[in-house]
Amino acid sequence: MAAKKNQERSGAGMDKEAVAVESVRQFVWSGFYDADGIVEMIDEAVLSPGELDHGWLRARIEEEFRKKRADELAWPAITDCDRLDQVFELLEQQGILALQNAGYTQDNGLDDVTQFYHEAGGEQSGIGGYCFYHGQDLERVMENGDLHLTYGDIRGDDEKGIEIGRRIKRALETAGFTVVWDEAIKTRLLVLLR
């Protein structure tokens, strides 16, 4: 997720601790990682193993989790993330493979779709379409509230892909989201979470 961006910053003069602190913030607030997972991500994707003292790193992680827990006290009972989870579950029930935080790039996400489709049984799975957002999308939504979703027909049929996009858009709008999309197969769905 924050790995490539923070590696670029590190090379551009940010010190390792500053890179780690920013990465910790992003990983904690994304909601996808626990403390051990964040240490692993920092060691494997952001910096090199052993570049930071794990005691220092774990203290930063716990500090950020405390901030998040305090902030969560003011959150509504049902958040946008909860509603998005519900939409993705509904899409799964409708034969649309719906993945959150699927890799770091669109290519990674498509690789994950292929993998999960085959693990689910391929043609026998009943999966006809897919929908996902990847790590870069997650970074963007945390920065500006815009979530881009990739979608399509599992076999690559453009007309069926557009219909999958329409079904996803309807499900999101029914859940109260504002969705911007021109119904073109090459245009990703934009969900406004501001």
Side-chain angles (χ1 to χ4, degrees), residues 5-85:
K5 185 190 299 183
N6 287 332
Q7 283 175 342
E8 291 167 9
R9 287 187 205 151
S10 182
M14 271 185 92
D15 69 32
K16 292 173 185 152
E17 288 184 357
V19 169
V21 166
E22 176 60 19
S23 297
V24 164
R25 186 190 67 74
Q26 289 181 351
F27 289 135
V28 166
W29 288 83
S30 76
F32 285 99
Y33 305 96
D34 62 12
D36 291 337
I38 293 170
V39 169
E40 184 178 323
M41 291 294 291
I42 302 264
D43 271 351
E44 293 180 6
V46 179
L47 300 172
S48 297
E51 282 194 82
L52 287 176
D53 174 69
H54 280 193
W56 177 88
L57 181 57
R58 287 189 179 276
R60 302 296 77 71
I61 293 168
E62 183 51 39
E63 178 184 331
E64 201 61 39
F65 271 117
R66 273 194 302 274
K67 289 178 188 175
K68 184 174 183 251
R69 283 191 296 270
D71 195 59
E72 287 172 349
L73 296 174
W75 290 4
I78 298 175
T79 66
D80 286 345
C81 292
D82 295 327
R83 290 186 301 133
L84 190 62
D85 288 345

Side-chain angles (χ1 to χ4, degrees), residues 127-138:
I127 296 170
Y130 62 87
C131 172
F132 70 87
Y133 63 89
H134 51 70
Q136 289 175 347
D137 296 324
L138 184 57

Side-chain angles (χ1 to χ4, degrees), residues 176-189:
F177 292 107
T178 300
V179 182
V180 178
W181 181 49
D182 63 3
E183 296 202 8
I185 192 66
K186 297 206 183 281
T187 306
R188 299 171 73 201
L189 296 163

Side-chain angles (χ1 to χ4, degrees), residues 110-125:
L110 291 169
D111 288 344
D112 283 359
V113 165
T114 300
Q115 177 185 341
F116 282 103
Y117 174 68
H118 289 295
E119 288 175 3
E123 289 184 26
Q124 287 74 38
S125 68

Side-chain angles (χ1 to χ4, degrees), residues 67 96 151:
K67 289 178 188 175
I96 297 173
Y151 65 92

